[in-house]
Amino acid sequence: MKYSLNTNNNPATDIQDGIVVAVFTKDHKEKTPLLGTAGEQLDKAQNGLISTILKLGDFKAHAEKTLLIPTPEGSRIILMGCGKKDELDSKTLNRCVKAVGKMIKDTSIKKLSFYLPEAPITSSDGKAQAIIQTVNAFSDSLYSLTDYKSKDKEVPPLTELTLSSVDGFDNRHQNDLDKGIGIATGMKLARDLANRPGNVCTPGYLAETAVSLGADYKNIDVDVLEESDMEKLGMGSFLSVSKGSDEPGKMIVLQYMGAKNKSDAPVALVGKGVTFDSGGISLKPGAKMDEMKFDMSGAAGMLGTLKACAEMKLPINLVVVLAAAENMPSARASKPGDIVTSLQGTTIEVLNTDAEGRLVLCDALTYVAKYKPAVVIDAATLTGACIVALGHHICAVLSNNDELAEALQTAGESINDQTWRLPMNDDYKKQLKSEFADLGNIGGPAAGTITAACFLGEFTKDYKWAHLDIAGTAWDGKNATGRPVPLLSQYLINYAQSLA
Ligand code: BES
Ligand code: MN
Ligand code: ZN
């Protein structure tokens, strides 16, 4: 897909294979839904075609409603319902653009012209964010993975999207478009990885993907720790998960050097990369077990974020650590009650082998400290309890630092990848007490997301840290979403700005 900004800004001469204009719902004063300037100009050029159709009253312009009008010249006008003009917020815009994208998917349109709605949120300061979001939402709604279909590979023909705005763009906006494209590219990588089946996307496959990122960008270095390396280091907790599988576990380390000063403290991103989570000896029930191929979405999201940063050429340093393993039952697998020693030296009683995410992450979190990171953020599909608490809409943040939690919250709001903070005080920590070891790996049925974070918190005391539980948001029940790539990319954009 090619995205560009249009500087011509005349909808009448800018129809291409199709043109999208916004329509707002009427209030009690008006008789028909309202066209913006772009819609009105287009209507005039088409001899009142749009207004005639609006007068019929069938299309009410509610948010997420769309209408495709074929023109006599053989093109299409697409009305994008946006709801009430002064209520159009960035969240609604996102949904409206996605609705248009989904509709375009079923058409033969190759080149599409898209006019940003004229609303308070797309004026002056808001325009930058509207550009980023539109590109993102579009790319997201057009996504599909057809690699594993032998026939019916339906790829939408759309290849070019030009963005327009009736009051034009200025020089800075090309930069915003590039950001949008960068984030969309990262999201696509994350979605592809998470959607790939467990027999393809193994820890080794994640490592190969990392190595090819290192080959594509000259400021990315990659280092893969093999199981033998991890044994030498003493990563007994990580290895207790991967030892039940025939797929060797990998600790994948990527470094992105984007800052002028190579020695600037990096932001560290740590991802859970369980490429299939059967539960191990504490075997999961059969229903929906296929979904556990997504259990590497944290790692996929971190790789996607890294790619987005490299595409955007953000002037920051990053270190990314992916804890990649497969959780399987076998004669060599860990058993409930086994006690293991983590890299930090803390002993852990593995009371449930299905609480494996925290076991692979704790060693990665200890390891990453050697890079002296400014902050550490981990992302993991860690607990089913998180889906119970927040559903598929918002991801949980748990943090030992208020400023970091707030910065994530702000970034998420502005790019529509929301977070919600949960507490993690010592009362919850008590649930992790073990009779025989320093720490148990489960905290009972109450507050599962919080006790999982408290477990990780025992390994993150030396730095500013936030944990994202993306169990609900990384997939929507059918497909990977590419989250939290937007959230983390926006956080890093803001972070880079705070350094400048
Ligand atoms: N990967 C799962 C969490 C999960 C479950 C993510 C469902 C998405 C959908 C994780 O490894 C797990 O199994 N967690 C257990 C923890 C429990 C044993 C303390 C859970 O949530 O049931
Ligand atoms: Mn599990
Ligand atoms: Zn898991």
Side-chain angles (χ1 to χ4, degrees):
M1 263 291 273
K2 198 176 147 236
Y3 297 93
S4 57
L5 293 183
N6 183 7
T7 42
N8 161 22
N9 298 326
N10 181 0
T13 59
D14 202 22
I15 300 185
Q16 306 195 32
D17 299 335
I19 181 166
V20 183
V21 291
V23 189
F24 298 99
T25 49
K26 66 185 182 78
D27 61 29
H28 49 275
K29 281 183 282 184
E30 292 102 15
K31 290 211 173 80
T32 62
L34 305 167
L35 287 169
T37 317
E40 270 168 9
Q41 287 173 6
L42 192 60
D43 186 44
K44 215 173 273 165
Q46 294 284 324
N47 306 313
L49 177 65
I50 307 176
S51 45
T52 307
I53 286 169
L54 289 179
K55 267 186 215 133
L56 291 173
D58 303 332
F59 183 73
K60 298 183 181 64
H62 293 305
E64 289 179 87
K65 297 286 181 195
T66 59
L67 184 69
L68 185 143
I69 309 169
T71 68
E73 300 82 30
S75 183
R76 302 93 172 155
I77 293 168
I78 291 142
L79 302 184
M80 173 170 79
C82 289
K84 282 195 182 151
K85 188 169 185 164
D86 44 4
E87 283 174 16
L88 182 65
D89 55 13
S90 75
K91 202 170 170 167
T92 312
L93 176 62
N94 198 287
R95 283 171 26 216
C96 297
V97 174
K98 279 187 180 160
V100 170
K102 285 217 180 82
M103 183 239 244
I104 300 292
K105 228 175 160 173
D106 295 328
T107 69
S108 313
I109 296 172
K110 290 198 187 88
K111 289 187 181 181
L112 184 68
S113 172
F114 183 99
Y115 275 74
L116 287 176
E118 287 166 270
I121 59 151
T122 58
S123 65
S124 57
D125 281 357
K127 198 178 274 179
Q129 208 59 27
I131 294 170
I132 297 179
Q133 284 220 29
T134 302
V135 172
N136 247 305
F138 235 92
S139 149
D140 210 39
S141 56
L142 291 169
Y143 175 88
S144 63
L145 178 65
T146 57
D147 292 9
Y148 307 101
K149 297 235 192 228
S150 67
K151 42 184 183 294
D152 303 332
K153 294 190 183 226
E154 281 168 30
V155 184
L158 187 72
T159 52
E160 254 188 85
L161 180 77
T162 37
L163 281 183
S164 304
S165 162
V166 278
D167 49 3
F169 294 116
D170 63 38
N171 300 337
R172 288 171 310 156
H173 290 131
Q174 182 59 42
N175 195 268
D176 300 313
L177 183 77
D178 292 342
K179 280 185 189 146
I181 296 170
I183 298 172
T185 312
M187 277 177 89
K188 182 173 163 17
L189 173 64
R191 294 187 75 175
D192 279 348
L193 286 170
N195 280 327
R196 291 195 196 288
N199 61 336
V200 173
C201 184
T202 57
Y205 185 91
L206 285 178
E208 283 164 26
T209 307
V211 169
S212 70
L213 272 179
D216 290 347
Y217 301 92
K218 65 175 191 302
N219 52 6
I220 295 180
D221 286 335
V222 185
D223 185 25
V224 179
L225 302 185
E226 305 295 338
E227 287 188 349
S228 55
D229 302 316
M230 291 190 262
E231 252 152 51
K232 273 179 219 141
L233 287 164
M235 294 183 168
S237 184
F238 176 98
L239 291 166
S240 77
V241 175
S242 69
K243 73 181 206 177
S245 168
D246 286 350
E247 296 291 342
K250 314 265 177 186
M251 189 73 76
I252 305 160
V253 184
L254 301 99
Q255 280 182 276
Y256 166 76
M257 296 290 183
K260 275 206 193 87
N261 196 339
K262 302 264 172 293
S263 60
D264 281 359
V267 171
L269 304 175
V270 176
K272 171 178 173 183
V274 174
T275 58
F276 189 75
D277 180 13
S278 67
I281 296 296
S282 313
L283 194 65
K284 283 185 182 296
K288 293 197 181 172
M289 205 206 267
D290 62 293
E291 290 191 352
M292 284 301 122
K293 69 174 184 180
F294 294 103
D295 213 19
M296 33 56 73
S297 294
M302 294 321 193
L303 280 178
T305 303
L306 177 74
K307 183 159 183 163
C309 286
E311 284 288 319
M312 295 187 286
K313 302 190 172 70
L314 282 191
I316 54 171
N317 293 332
L318 282 180
V319 54
V320 175
V321 180
L322 312 176
E326 190 184 61
N327 188 23
M328 294 293 274
S330 81
R332 278 172 289 109
S334 288
K335 303 166 291 295
D338 284 2
I339 294 178
V340 300
T341 305
S342 65
L343 177 61
Q344 179 172 258
T346 308
T347 60
I348 303 163
E349 187 178 14
V350 182
L351 292 163
N352 188 322
T353 64
D354 197 12
E356 84 299 339
R358 60 199 81 181
L359 296 176
V360 298
L361 282 171
C362 70
D363 281 346
L365 287 165
T366 302
Y367 186 73
V368 81
K370 80 172 197 168
Y371 295 93
K372 305 214 170 352
V375 299
V376 179
I377 302 169
D378 79 74
T381 46
L382 205 61
T383 62
C386 188
I387 311 177
V388 177
L390 296 172
H392 293 282
H393 307 295
I394 296 184
C395 80
V397 176
L398 299 103
S399 178
N400 62 13
N401 184 277
D402 293 344
E403 208 184 319
L404 176 57
E406 272 159 36
L408 286 165
Q409 160 99 29
T410 310
E413 284 303 326
S414 75
I415 198 140
N416 269 304
D417 187 356
Q418 275 96 357
T419 65
W420 195 262
R421 192 174 182 187
L422 295 178
M424 38 178 312
N425 56 47
D426 288 351
D427 292 332
Y428 295 100
K429 206 171 91 181
K430 288 188 199 123
Q431 290 175 232
L432 294 167
K433 279 206 175 117
S434 153
E435 191 71 25
F436 301 107
D438 301 338
L439 213 52
N441 80 328
I442 52 171
T449 304
I450 299 175
T451 53
C454 288
F455 180 96
L456 299 178
E458 290 300 296
F459 301 84
T460 60
K461 289 179 178 158
D462 296 340
Y463 46 68
K464 295 177 190 168
W465 160 75
H467 159 64
L468 302 173
D469 195 328
I470 56 168
T473 53
W475 71 91
D476 61 14
K478 272 189 180 169
N479 207 300
T481 60
R483 294 172 71 180
V485 174
L487 162 65
L488 291 174
S489 303
Q490 185 68 52
Y491 167 79
L492 292 169
I493 290 170
N494 298 350
Y495 179 83
Q497 254 156 25
S498 76
L499 294 183

